Amino acid sequence: MIAKTTIGRSFKGCCAYNMQKVEMGKGQVLMSQGVRDYELNPMVADFTRQAKMNPELTRSVWHTAISFDPKDEARLQLQPELMKAVASEYLTGMGLDQSQYVVIQHQDTVHSHFHIIANRVASNGQSISDSHNYNRSEKLLREIEQKHSLTLMKEQGYRLSLEHIPDRDRHRLEMRNEVRQSLERSTNSAELKADLAQRGIEVIVNRDQAGKARGLSFERISQIDNGEEIKVAFKGSKLHQNLSLGHIQEQLLENSLKRALELSKKPELDKSIGLEKGPQIEDKQLKQGRSLGM
């Protein structure tokens, strides 16, 4: 599956395009929550009313279009509930199930696809984050594909796109992708190193004569086309400018703060796992983020 997400300001334009498909018999409403899904104006009014609960969030429109691989078309025809299951799991995985949404299938193309229009202002007035939505969406789609045995569309396309480039460049692109994914879900250096170790990638801290960390390198043992094993190593800054030591430290700290905030909003979870409440949680997370073990 392929997903394309845009974050916008106007519900009317987004809803009008999709509802026009329904009115023309070229689409259907698969599911909805919290909005009148039978007509354009009431739907827009419902979305707009809830968005006003959080006036500071100016870009409150979440629009994602998800397309299936043509190879899955036969299954989608035989199992009409499959598309709804995918949409529901995507909504839940991205946190959109806590707000208003409408899911509309388009029926005027050779490949099946649907559109999600959701309100980034949740039903309780809180904002639904769009931070790193591309990486989160891609990871979630891969999980949904595997769960339902759907064609791994992006992975296949990604591998094919790397087939005819030099080995070292291919290794660089593959490693960059994996380091980014690990960094996305890590809050400190220990988590980052452990996650990358599972992928066969070792993190090397480059230090100066005084022992101060000056940079990072990533190493792994890879196979080239003839089956020979070679060591592949790249400095973080050579993988991408945002994978330098400084940028990685900033990202880990940002992830740490977000996790601390999530924990502070779940006192019942804190109690169940024996965590202390209040500033001590944030202090612990901040220390982890600042020290980074590097």
Side-chain angles (χ1 to χ4, degrees), residues 18 29 34 45 86 151-152 164 171 174 192 238 250 254 286:
N18 284 280
V29 176
V86 170
T151 302
L152 302 179
H164 303 295
H171 294 316
E174 290 174 342
L192 178 63
K238 295 299 182 181
E250 291 176 2
E254 180 181 339
L286 285 171

Side-chain angles (χ1 to χ4, degrees), residues 1 18 33 85 121 138 144 166 178 199 217 256 277 285:
M1 295 179 290
N18 284 280
Q33 176 172 280
V121 177
E138 289 299 297
I144 295 174
E178 293 181 81
R199 302 164 178 262
S217 295
S256 175
K277 298 181 179 180
Q285 297 287 337

Side-chain angles (χ1 to χ4, degrees), residues 28-282:
Q28 65 170 329
V29 176
L30 290 181
M31 51 201 296
S32 66
Q33 176 172 280
V35 295
R36 289 167 285 180
D37 61 13
Y38 52 82
E39 193 174 340
L40 174 62
N41 289 336
M43 179 187 296
V44 173
D46 292 338
F47 276 128
T48 303
R49 187 181 304 110
Q50 182 158 304
K52 290 180 179 179
M53 294 170 60
N54 190 341
E56 294 183 358
L57 185 65
T58 57
R59 290 159 55 88
S60 54
V61 182
W62 182 301
H63 177 209
T64 294
I66 295 181
S67 302
F68 293 82
D69 190 290
K71 295 177 182 177
D72 297 320
E73 196 61 36
R75 279 192 62 201
L76 291 167
Q77 296 298 323
L78 292 173
Q79 302 173 330
E81 295 300 312
L82 178 56
M83 189 176 293
K84 288 184 179 180
V86 170
S88 179
E89 290 166 19
Y90 187 86
L91 286 162
T92 300
M94 298 301 287
L96 301 171
D97 62 322
Q98 303 301 310
S99 187
Q100 301 167 307
Y101 61 78
V102 61
V103 180
I104 298 176
Q105 177 189 2
H106 288 191
Q107 301 168 320
D108 57 350
T109 58
V110 294
H111 65 282
S112 291
H113 70 281
F114 62 83
H115 292 245
I116 294 174
I117 305 166
N119 200 333
R120 288 188 57 222
V121 177
S123 300
N124 61 4
Q126 298 297 312
S127 301
I128 295 175
S129 174
D130 65 340
S131 178
H132 307 294
N133 69 75
Y134 175 80
N135 289 333
R136 290 192 292 128
S137 176
E138 289 299 297
K139 180 176 182 294
L140 178 59
L141 286 178
R142 304 294 78 76
E143 294 172 354
I144 295 174
E145 286 170 345
Q146 291 180 359
K147 177 180 177 180
H148 295 286
S149 299
L150 293 164
T151 302
L152 302 179
M153 192 169 184
K154 180 179 181 297
E155 288 187 357
Q156 289 181 354
Y158 182 75
R159 286 197 297 270
L160 289 172
S161 70
L162 300 181
E163 273 190 358
H164 303 295
I165 66 174
D167 283 334
R168 184 166 178 80
D169 292 332
R170 174 165 53 84
H171 294 316
R172 184 197 301 267
L173 292 172
E174 290 174 342
M175 188 178 290
R176 183 183 69 184
N177 188 48
E178 293 181 81
V179 172
R180 280 174 166 173
Q181 291 176 2
S182 292
L183 181 59
E184 176 72 23
R185 53 178 169 262
S186 301
T187 62
N188 55 58
S189 64
E191 290 182 4
L192 178 63
K193 291 177 180 178
D195 193 87
L196 287 172
Q198 294 180 359
R199 302 164 178 262
I201 299 175
E202 182 181 2
V203 181
I204 308 297
V205 181
N206 304 317
R207 302 181 184 276
D208 59 18
Q209 293 183 346
K212 185 176 180 179
R214 291 298 185 184
L216 293 178
S217 295
F218 300 91
E219 297 182 359
R220 79 177 340 161
I221 302 299
S222 296
Q223 286 188 337
I224 56 179
D225 290 339
N226 63 8
E228 179 185 352
E229 289 189 346
I230 61 171
K231 177 181 285 188
V232 180
F234 297 99
K235 291 182 179 180
S237 58
K238 295 299 182 181
L239 290 178
H240 192 274
Q241 61 184 11
N242 289 337
L243 294 178
S244 65
L245 174 61
H247 281 96
I248 287 177
Q249 289 175 323
E250 291 176 2
Q251 185 63 61
L252 290 174
L253 178 57
E254 180 181 339
N255 295 349
S256 175
L257 290 169
K258 288 180 179 178
R259 182 176 295 182
L261 181 61
E262 291 171 358
L263 289 173
S264 69
K265 289 183 177 181
K266 297 180 180 179
E268 69 282 357
L269 176 60
D270 296 347
K271 184 177 180 181
S272 68
I273 61 178
L275 289 177
E276 297 179 3
K277 298 181 179 180
Q280 292 179 350
I281 295 177
E282 295 187 5

